[in-house]
Amino acid sequence: MKGTPEHRRVSLATATAGLAAAIVYVVACIYDRIVSGLADPFLIVRDVHFGYYHRAVLAAWLGGIAGLIAARLLDSPERVSWVTRVLTRATLPTVVLLSVATYLFP
Amino acid sequence: MTTEILRFLASIHGHLGALAAVALLHPAILLWNGRPATRGIRLSIALTTALVVAVYSMGIGLYGDYRRLVKRALFRTDVTAGFLFETKEHLAFVAVVLTLGAVLPSLLPGPENADLRRLAARLWAGAALACWTVGALGTWVQSARGF
């Protein structure tokens, strides 16, 4: 049966996981660039692309944990409604910020 | 893989990516006001998700040959375009995780849970925004050095 409180929690946890994974990935990019600096274009051919997979797996992992935490904490209809409202307002501005960040820290 | 085959596959990847960017707008628009997911919307969600994941997987699959055959020449031609390609990769990941994050909030909530479908619509729209940016950057890179 659809629309049960459990379905609401799972739905919101999935949304949280997706958004958290996107944020973690971009934060990991920024961290990489701050720590190692911008790659030398003439050496970049030797880049084995490991960093990309590492960031992607890290983001998926931490996004999943964020989703699990959300599912655990969202134990009342009021909390679910509040978090849904916050995420609804925050999603698009967050994506714009992430886009700018990936431009500034390629 | 030869450069010609890579060029052919990259062209398919680009065309499918443009299709994915358009497809992502469909659930975003249909669910924007929290409308319940009809059978048509469910079909749209399934096809869009499959397309986005397929295009992303194809891009990941092509990256090794891009690095071997194109990347060095691209950076020699235009360093900015080379780094924009990296930005494109990052945004592609953002588009995929937002897409996957939007699926269950679109499908699971019952008719009375319009707020979750509105959230799902924003996730679809965010994925579309990222995907359109990826397409624009891909076109820029392609114009800097066609391959």
Side-chain angles (χ1 to χ4, degrees):
Chain A
M1 180 161 177
K2 285 188 164 193
T4 64
E6 199 60 30
H7 282 132
R8 282 179 63 82
R9 281 174 60 185
V10 171
S11 299
L12 194 51
T14 313
T16 305
L19 199 54
I23 293 169
V24 168
Y25 179 87
V26 175
V27 169
C29 279
I30 294 171
Y31 177 78
D32 275 0
R33 292 298 165 261
I34 288 174
V35 169
S36 63
L38 206 56
D40 182 344
F42 295 103
L43 296 178
I44 206 164
V45 70
R46 296 192 182 277
D47 173 13
V48 291
H49 211 215
F50 180 77
Y52 184 81
Y53 298 121
H54 179 258
R55 282 192 301 270
V57 170
L58 179 74
W61 175 253
L62 291 182
I65 289 178
L68 288 174
I69 291 172
R72 176 79 179 157
L73 293 181
L74 297 172
D75 53 359
S76 70
E78 293 76 23
R79 281 187 183 177
V80 170
S81 297
W82 184 78
V83 173
T84 303
R85 272 201 309 278
V86 169
L87 288 184
T88 301
R89 287 177 189 161
T91 296
L92 284 177
T94 302
V95 174
V96 172
L97 283 177
L98 295 180
S99 302
V100 173
T102 56
Y103 174 74
L104 296 176
F105 299 91
Chain B
M1 185 185 292
T2 64
T3 308
E4 286 72 28
I5 294 174
L6 178 62
R7 183 184 295 133
F8 175 69
L9 293 176
S11 174
I12 292 174
H13 172 64
H15 283 86
L16 290 177
L19 196 59
V22 175
L24 280 166
L25 290 174
H26 195 235
I29 292 168
L30 291 175
L31 296 172
W32 192 260
N33 291 321
R35 176 180 164 192
T38 59
R39 192 176 169 195
I41 295 176
R42 288 171 191 281
L43 184 63
S44 164
I45 289 166
L47 291 175
T48 301
T49 305
L51 183 61
V52 169
V53 171
V55 173
Y56 177 76
S57 304
M58 191 175 183
I60 292 294
L62 290 175
Y63 191 88
D65 289 297
Y66 155 77
R67 191 180 68 234
R68 189 169 59 83
L69 298 169
V70 178
K71 195 169 185 177
R72 184 169 42 182
L74 177 62
F75 269 95
R76 269 206 309 266
T77 305
D78 187 344
V79 172
T80 305
F83 282 121
L84 281 177
F85 193 95
E86 305 303 308
T87 297
K88 178 175 110 66
E89 267 200 319
H90 304 325
L91 283 178
F93 182 81
V94 169
V96 166
V97 291
L98 290 179
T99 298
L100 295 176
V103 173
L104 287 185
S106 304
L107 298 176
L108 270 186
E112 71 283 6
N113 299 138
D115 56 342
L116 280 168
R117 280 188 296 277
R118 280 195 290 272
L119 168 60
R122 270 63 178 181
L123 289 168
W124 289 111
L129 178 63
C131 200
W132 278 93
T133 310
V134 167
L137 293 178
T139 307
W140 183 338
V141 171
Q142 184 77 7
S143 67
R145 183 181 172 83
F147 60 87

